């Protein structure tokens, strides 16, 4: 699967939120705490130990928590910087066959990463992870599709699954260092892979071996390549990328406009699949494996090149007209993103650009970036002292972060804090200067758009942002009932 990382850190491109907060006058020191999830923050502050709890010299030390002797190889990777000198790396298979009530878990990682697993995560308990949800809940079943092998479907006899609901919470049974997958020696690769899979408990091993294989080559290698999802391991300095294989999640097919997302908790080692929108009984559950923001042709080529299948999702199979409309919206999204201001002095431009971007993303059925932009809008309105609009966007961001990261997530809660008390927020009225100055043509309260006269003089000639070449895109903007004049009492009732 090798999907892109869908990690808290990545969900919230720090630079954009940082810019928004900077616009709003929050000091940089505070930003560090504001823009990074607690787990990520802990990972940065607490560095993992560099010594392995497993003896490094050989191949046969049975050390807690591993229930098998680690199998190690010393791999020599080509050195991209200096020709001739290889880069040496010890990589081992570590297994705890009792993990999670006998589900078992194997890792192919460096001793340093293995050491961080034993000391820095909470999940090495043998008793089993709490709160696991799966097939036994009766929400979904594995069924054969017409053209894409097996897939996961919402059961016909259950009520609809609602956006934000968890469908699967399961621990991966195999983590493999992405670097290991490039081991030049097939013999070394197969030795360690066969140990990692072979040492899993019989039932788990059987399930893993029954999964799809799309690449050819050895069985274990193909299983990891086809079904592993790329995650980051933040507990050691170089933040390695691991491919995580969770059998229940591995049955979910790709769609460029999926109805579910996945999250990985690197503390509890839980993989969580969550409905991104309401899912009807009988409907197939889908995830994006990545590349969904590219035009159809580029998307299909990239999926083929990286994932080795021809995408047969409904969007890639849509009519020419629908594909053209989707491609146009994707170009619009790209163009809008490329002109988002980075200079705090241009903060007011955000108020014109972001609602258009959010609308285009909604229309294109792309939902993962939306809460970040909504949150930025909320801070920006708050910094200008426009309470109702700040509240409105904070409420939307809270709700959408709630779907993406959970209602209890820090991101959702911090937006809830703003929504509940805009005037008490650190961003309130922090903008110095007149926000309506130099905003340029196409600003959302521009006469052209809403047919309203307004009481602020705009300098339409000067101060045009380069990106205003795209301003015609504001035509047809659904202004969501906003009266676009910046008057507090003209905005009501948007929940
Ligand atoms: C992680 S598996 C998904 C489950 C798989 N269909 C099965 O039978 O277990 C990934 C493989 O499923 C197939 N697949 C998933 N999504 C697809 C799509 N949108 N179009 C075509 N094939 C797809 C490809 O063969 C891909 O390599």
């Amino acid at each position: 699967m090798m999907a892109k990382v869908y990690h808290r850190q990545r969900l919230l491109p720090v630079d954009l939120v940082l810019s928004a907060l900077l616009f709003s006058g929050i000091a940089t020191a505070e930003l560090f705490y504001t823009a990074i999830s607690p787990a990520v923050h802990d990972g940065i502050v607490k560095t993992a130990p560099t010594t392995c709890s497993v003896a490094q010299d050989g191949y046969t030390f049975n050390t807690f928590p591993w229930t098998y002797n680690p199998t190690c190889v010393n791999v020599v990777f080509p050195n991209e910087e200096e020709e001739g000198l290889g880069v040496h790396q010890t990589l081992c298979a570590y297994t705890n066959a009792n993990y999670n009530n006998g589900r078992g878990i194997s890792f192919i990682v460096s001793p340093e990463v293995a050491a961080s697993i034993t000391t820095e995560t909470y999940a090495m308990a043998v008793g089993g992870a709490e709160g696991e949800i799966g097939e036994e809940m009766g929400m979904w079943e594995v069924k054969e599709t017409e053209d894409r092998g097996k897939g996961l479907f919402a059961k016909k006899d259950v009520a609809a699954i609602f956006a934000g609901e968890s469908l699967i919470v399961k621990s991966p049974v195999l983590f493999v260092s992405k670097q290991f997958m490039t081991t030049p020696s097939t013999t070394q690769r197969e030795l360690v892979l066969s140990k990692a899979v072979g040492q899993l408990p019989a039932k788990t091993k059987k399930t893993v071996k029954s999964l799809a294989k799309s690449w050819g080559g050895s069985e274990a290698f193909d299983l990891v390549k086809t079904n592993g999802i790329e995650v980051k391991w933040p507990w050691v300095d170089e933040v390695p990328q691991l491919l995580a294989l969770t059998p229940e999640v591995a049955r979910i097919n790709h769609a460029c406009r999926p109805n579910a997302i996945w999250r990985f908790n690197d503390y509890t080692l839980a993989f969580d699949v969550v409905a991104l929108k309401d899912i009807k009984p009988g409907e197939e559950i889908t995830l994006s494996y990545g590349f969904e923001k590219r035009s159809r042709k580029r998307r299909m080529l990239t999926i083929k090149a990286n994932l080795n299948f021809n995408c047969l999702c409904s969007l890639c199979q849509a009519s020419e007209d629908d594909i053209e409309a989707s491609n146009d919206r994707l170009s619009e999204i790209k163009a809008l993103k490329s002109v988002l201001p980075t200079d705090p002095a241009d903060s007011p431009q955000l108020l014109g650009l972001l609602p258009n971007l959010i609308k285009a993303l909604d229309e294109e059925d792309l939902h993962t970036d939306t809460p970040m932009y909504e949150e930025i809008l909320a801070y920006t309105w708050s910094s200008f002292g426009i309470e109702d609009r700040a509240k409105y966007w904070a409420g939307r961001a809270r709700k959408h972060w709630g779907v993406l990261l959970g209602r209890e997530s820090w991101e959702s809660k911090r937006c809830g804090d703003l929504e509940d008390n805009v005037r008490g927020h650190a961003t309130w009225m922090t903008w110095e200067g007149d926000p309506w100055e130099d905003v340029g043509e196409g600003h959302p309260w521009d006469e052209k758009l809403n047919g309203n006269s307004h009481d602020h003089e705009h300098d339409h000639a000067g101060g045009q942002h380069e990106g205003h070449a795209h301003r015609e895109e504001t035509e047809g903007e659904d202004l969501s009932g906003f009266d676009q004049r910046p008057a507090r009492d003209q905005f009501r009732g948007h929940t």
Side-chain angles (χ1 to χ4, degrees), residues 1 142-145 147-152 210-215 226-228 249-256 284 287 289 303 307-314:
M1 205 181 285
V142 174
K143 287 200 313 195
E144 206 60 52
T145 66
D147 48 5
R148 290 153 300 125
K150 292 193 167 79
L152 208 71
S210 73
L211 294 173
K213 296 185 278 292
S214 297
W215 286 88
T226 305
N227 298 288
V249 180
R251 286 296 184 201
I252 305 181
N253 284 316
H254 162 87
C256 295
E284 182 170 1
L287 288 171
Y289 298 179
I303 288 175
L307 306 170
N308 207 26
F309 64 85
N310 293 314
C311 185
L312 299 170
C313 81
S314 53

Side-chain angles (χ1 to χ4, degrees), residues 382 385 387 417-418 420-429 488:
S382 165
E387 186 178 5
D417 288 347
L418 175 62
D420 291 346
N421 183 10
V422 176
R423 285 167 184 261
H425 195 263
T427 53
W428 177 249
M429 298 275 263
R488 287 161 213 205

Side-chain angles (χ1 to χ4, degrees), residues 1 99-105 132-143 150-154 166-174 200 203-212 223 226-229 244-254 260-262 269-274 284-287 289:
M1 205 181 285
Y99 180 72
N100 204 354
N101 280 332
R103 181 174 163 91
I105 194 163
E132 289 228 328
I133 298 175
E135 200 173 7
E136 60 277 12
M137 292 284 292
M139 288 166 109
W140 49 259
E141 59 191 335
V142 174
K143 287 200 313 195
K150 292 193 167 79
L152 208 71
F153 289 80
S166 275
L167 301 162
I168 299 174
V169 182
K170 287 283 183 191
S171 57
V173 298
L174 186 57
L200 289 169
K203 191 172 163 213
T204 303
K205 192 170 24 180
K206 192 170 166 218
T207 311
V208 169
K209 288 188 169 216
S210 73
L211 294 173
L223 284 167
T226 305
N227 298 288
I229 294 183
L245 191 157
T246 314
E248 297 80 358
V249 180
R251 286 296 184 201
I252 305 181
N253 284 316
H254 162 87
I261 47 152
W262 58 267
L269 302 188
F271 237 95
D272 192 357
V273 175
V274 177
E284 182 170 1
I285 295 155
T286 52
L287 288 171
Y289 298 179

